[in-house]
Amino acid sequence: MSDAVATHAGEREPVSLTFGVQGMTCANCSARVERTLAKTAGVGSANVNLATERASIVFDPNVVDLDQVLRRVRDVGYAPQEQTIDLHLPGLAASAGGERLERTLRALPGVLEADANPATEQVRVRWLPDATPYPRLLATLRAAGYQVRDDSEAEGEDARRRDRHDSEGAALRRDVILASAFTIPLMLLSMGPMAIPGAEAALMARFGHLTLWLVQLALALPVMIGPARRFYRPGWAALRHGSPDMNSLVMIGASAAFGYSLVATFVPAILPAGTVHVYYEAAAAIVTLILVGRWLEHRSKGRASDAIRRLLTLQADTARVVRDGSEVDLPTAEVVPGDLIAVRPGERIPVDGAVASGSSWVDESMLTGEPAPVAKREGDTVTGGTVNRTGAFRFRAQRVGADTALARIVRMVEEAQAGKAPIQALADRVVAVFVPVVLAIAAVTFATWMLVGPEPRLNYALVAATAVLLIACPCAMGLATPVSIMVGSGRGAEMGVLFRRGEAIQTLQRSEVIALDKTGTLTEGRPALTDLEPHGDWTRATLLPLIAGAEAQSEHPIADAIVKSAREELEQLPRAETFEAFPGRGVLARVDGREVQVGTGRWLEERGIELGSARQRADTLADDGRTPLFVAIDGVMAGLAAVSDPVKPGTPEAIRALHARGLRVAMITGDQRRTAEAIGRRLGIDEVIAEVLPDGKVAAIERLRQGERGRSRRVAFVGDGINDAPALAAADVGVAIGTGTHIAIEAGDVVLMSGDLRAVVNALELSRRTMNNIGQNLFWAFGYNTLLIPVAAGVLYPWLGVLLSPILAAAAMGLSDVFVLGNALRLKRVEPVLVGPVTAPTGAAPQPA
């Protein structure tokens, strides 16, 4: 989400934000809200997700303000999720900064009103909590210098959201119990005697049909004026706005049955002979059964979002902060960057930071999905939400609140769950016209039965038309895709696989070529100097200081390997007087008055330096999988160095698994061709693209796209997420691979929190399973309606004498939604295909090196 930023012309830039919408119960509801928002002047794009009950919009604040946008949502019968809160700010009166504070708060996304009262030292804020989470609101106030005391609801928006979900579930449960309490005896009274020979006739003789009908009315009426209001209010609003939804269908169906029964009870003379019959039990059962289905759906939705809740529970409530030499327990929300925090064995780390003293083993499985604890020493990073296992240490807080890795992961999962996969476009197009088509089919059904049906025609026509209205549930279609994405992306987060967008789930499983960056992806990314062969009069002792002095200014991993080796042998490295880097080629520096060149053979030859026999030796080293570097001093060949970057332990297994799935594996690297091909042969890589400069990776992606006979192939590029951003963006799907908080999580469509390449296989499998699940849901949803609408209309009656009861239609409709949700929940049981070795620490905590 981004704030509106003033430009030099005084205009504000477009604003992107997300807010919750209450009252949506079916796909037509979400489609209507989306259409309404999209048609609003100034709104550039709108996406409404039924499963998460959220709307994401981009709007121009110069054309329309947020209040106007929300008013449009209310006008069509739905409620944006707003929050109003009173916060006590000690010192507000003394600061005389009420107006400044109001401006600060109103600049936050989703803040609708901010009224500061210096006299009472309070500020009242009305805002959209999904756009600006409660912790960010508090952080903004604290950053402005206020010690916030929340006098109302300090538990935060995450707890509020759970409360809203629980309250809605409790209200649904109450309605189900109330409706069932009247519907069950009503069903027993109206239909029970039919199962006992002679019982119906005996009741009629004893009480008369009018008395029995009045009793049935007395039982049905509380259901119709109580629990049924859930359907009548939104259903009527939808009809009034010319966009009927599922509530409208239920309202019409139940009203038809109940209204017909009232006429039959009190003014039977106006009905044709032989058609006087009551359907009180059908009206009440329709409402009750659909409420039961909606309650089960609500519970299933809650389980679908369990992953987010579990992630949120990983946040520690308190932190042991060192203040004035003593340890003080403070709420995690009050930790600020720079605080020194003490952590004991078994405790959860509260925020992100770097170890200042001590050492331990930390369980980072919540972050990476890897079961093995990770050694932490002075200088190593630690992540909020992970668990300290064995030792005690202190660390310096670096990222707190919404900036922690855990908070960013939660945001990414929420954004993925709110997104739409391309396959959902089909369901959206159908749902957009579905309910009007159903109403038309119901009208045609009624007319057909009235024209050609057997007597009593009116009864048959009413039953068939009502069954059509109730059987046609578009909810299953609308939920088929988003609920699977919701569960799949949540399960991915638990496995250390983060889908940044919902469409990435679909795109990844369609990939045909997996292109892998070498350094840091296939290999450890920590090269080591393996060879240094001086030429002529040079020796290792005289050559190494000059090479290290030149490379000390470079940030390249190979340079780091040379410098690290030199520091183990030399007391002090010489300082380069001048330095110039040539990306992908080498470095040129002046060290101790001498010109030092270290780089590729081709680069040195371009600069007029004869390589001689070093060329053949370099080829031998390259064939062994090492990267040769040529060294020239004062324009003359002086030696040959070689570095080797060890292959990660899980890389061969991952490549075998990719091949087993029929995928072609390619490697893109800046290494010399011989070195790259040696690594490729060792790992079984299908295609090696070597000697690629940093700006040439995009062209390499395009080359891989060109398949046989001109057929384009879909390419997934896997890189470290920092240096490979252009290639990650150019690929059909970019997979950023890294370790913990070091990863640039904005770089790829998919982020793997583990540095292990096996996570790519797990991401592919999860993507495949999720798309299969969506396919099953859509097949069921479309097939269900395609088959059962004609049955409800009565097409089988001429041959089999079968006419679907509205009660069965209502039950089938509810079960359709529950089936889709239950099928999606199976994704929670997806397990990683490949896992790293489980190695638990033994003995004492690691000792500092």
Side-chain angles (χ1 to χ4, degrees), residues 582-805:
F582 297 82
R585 294 177 175 86
V587 299
L588 173 64
R590 180 164 291 278
V591 182
D592 287 345
R594 313 198 73 152
E595 184 184 75
V596 182
Q597 292 173 257
V598 185
T600 66
R602 180 187 298 177
W603 181 57
L604 266 64
E605 286 178 331
E606 288 173 357
R607 300 181 68 86
I609 297 171
E610 293 289 337
L611 303 183
S613 61
R615 168 64 74 183
Q616 287 73 34
R617 176 57 181 157
D619 290 344
T620 302
L621 292 170
D623 288 339
D624 196 35
R626 306 177 198 181
T627 301
L629 296 170
F630 295 85
V631 183
I633 307 295
D634 295 330
V636 178
M637 185 66 190
L640 185 67
V643 296
S644 178
D645 188 2
V647 172
K648 291 181 179 178
T651 296
E653 184 184 5
I655 292 175
R656 287 194 298 271
L658 292 174
H659 282 148
R661 282 161 174 73
L663 297 167
R664 186 173 179 82
V665 181
M667 179 176 74
I668 301 175
T669 178
D671 281 355
Q672 292 186 14
R673 178 159 299 280
R674 279 179 175 269
T675 303
E677 289 180 346
I679 295 172
R681 284 193 300 273
R682 187 190 313 165
L683 295 175
I685 290 172
D686 301 302
E687 187 171 352
V688 175
I689 304 178
E691 300 178 356
V692 178
L693 299 179
D695 57 356
K697 290 185 178 180
V698 173
I701 296 292
E702 291 301 323
R703 171 179 159 184
L704 289 170
R705 271 207 184 95
Q706 302 307 313
E708 299 175 357
R709 300 176 184 174
R711 187 182 70 85
S712 179
R713 300 182 299 192
R714 287 180 287 269
V715 178
F717 177 73
V718 185
D720 63 14
I722 300 171
N723 301 320
D724 298 317
L728 288 165
D732 293 281
V733 58
V735 181
I737 187 169
T739 304
T741 56
H742 297 296
I743 192 166
I745 63 175
E746 297 300 321
D749 304 301
V750 183
V751 178
L752 308 178
M753 300 307 289
S754 166
D756 196 322
L757 193 61
R758 287 173 287 201
V760 175
V761 182
N762 295 332
L764 282 162
E765 179 65 13
L766 183 60
S767 172
R768 183 188 67 80
R769 295 278 293 274
T770 302
M771 292 310 301
N772 285 347
N773 193 272
I774 290 173
Q776 293 160 3
N777 286 346
L778 288 173
F779 178 81
W780 167 264
F782 285 114
Y784 166 89
N785 285 287
T786 302
L787 291 175
L788 290 187
I789 288 178
V791 173
V795 297
L796 298 180
Y797 187 83
W799 297 279
L800 303 177
V802 174
L803 189 61
L804 191 64
S805 163

Side-chain angles (χ1 to χ4, degrees), residues 4-14 60-62:
V5 182
T7 65
H8 66 280
E11 293 190 348
R12 291 176 293 170
E13 295 181 352
D60 185 350
N62 304 292

Side-chain angles (χ1 to χ4, degrees), residues 145 234 307 330 340 514 670 700 704 772 788 808 823 844:
L330 296 177
L340 188 64
I514 307 296
L704 289 170
N772 285 347
L788 290 187
L808 293 177
N823 187 51

